[in-house]
Amino acid sequence: MILFNRAPYCGTEERYIAEAIRGGKICGDGPFTKQCNAWLEERFSAQKVLLTTSGTTALDMAFFLCGLRPGDEVILPSFTFSSTATAAVLAGAKLVFVDVRPDTMNIDETKIEAAITDRTRVITVMHYAGVACEMDAVMDIARRHGLLVVEDAAQAVMSTYKGRALGTIGDLGCYSFHETKNYSMGEGGALVINRPQYNERAEILREKGTNRAKFFRGQVDKYTWVDFGDSYLPSELNAAYLWAQLEHADEINQNRLDTWNRYYETFQPLAQEGKLELPVIPEGCAHNAHMFYIKLRDLEERTAFISHMKSRGVSCVFHYVPLHSAPAGLKFGRFHGEDVYTTKESERLVRLPLYYRLSAEDVSAVTAAARSFFERPH
């Protein structure tokens, strides 16, 4: 079976983990954690980056930093992972879902403004498949209405919008380093802080509500409990694994792009024949090949395609069930406007295997199996 995903592995992970163990500090904020933070800040021209225990906890921190109060509203797409929504709910917000664009599956920026009420505090965008939302339009709406913008860039490490790294454009950004992502630490993430006024509070949130970070910088003579917080600081062992990935970031990125481009070129004739639809990368967007998906005619054809691929030894998977139709979505939010594309397009989408060092032979096997589906007699 050609697996849908394999966690990235570069070869130096064990050495770095052993180094962390020998160093005697395996809790967070040791040398590897600091190296990862600094690399992300420098590479993406980010004001401040803090590694977290997951992309979800990075989102938790982001929404807490937004200062949400019970009854405040957060606008977000319904086509996203539960973390995007549950982090806002945890901070006390009501969810307002809006439709997506069918070309990128990102939030439809033209639907946001009509969903704004006097309780709206935050617009949340999720850069699906590492392809940027229309951030100029989103940021313009936010500034005109005095709203904050949280970027769920879990899938978008190394992607850009008009030359700017995703995660660094809104007020706060969030990355994921889960094993399913382009760069992994097993479980982990990062909070990108783009406004200096959030720096100190973020450190306190991350360190169980204490000013421990200031103590270690010598800014206070002892640290104490100063606010609410949680334990959002990852182990140094996880950070050591991630450091091996970041050292090879460009190599991983190019390898994934090569696979993505090969899929795209191979399926282009089928797209031209109208048998499937390919991903769209808008002008000004540079993506990171986080995933390669195709869209089939409808749910029935997608189900048949997944079954067909499995019978030929290829694991393909669909993606999110729209959150607004899920039990928790019905409980914590509402859909504004008409669901023109969210449900319909989500039922057509299927993802193909794509990971670092997916062999050329396996790519050929995947594309051959897919082509045979469209060549079969109906």
Side-chain angles (χ1 to χ4, degrees), residues 9-17 240 243-245 247-248:
Y9 176 78
C10 298
T12 51
E13 287 84 351
E14 288 96 339
R15 176 157 61 88
Y16 290 153
I17 290 169
W243 180 245
Q245 315 271 298
E247 279 193 322
H248 293 87

Side-chain angles (χ1 to χ4, degrees), residues 31 71 108 145 152 183 193 199 271-272 276 310 341 346 352:
D108 187 338
H145 291 271
D152 183 342
Y183 309 95
I193 305 168
N199 289 357
Q272 290 169 350
L276 56 80
K310 185 177 180 182
Y341 295 114
S346 69
L352 306 186

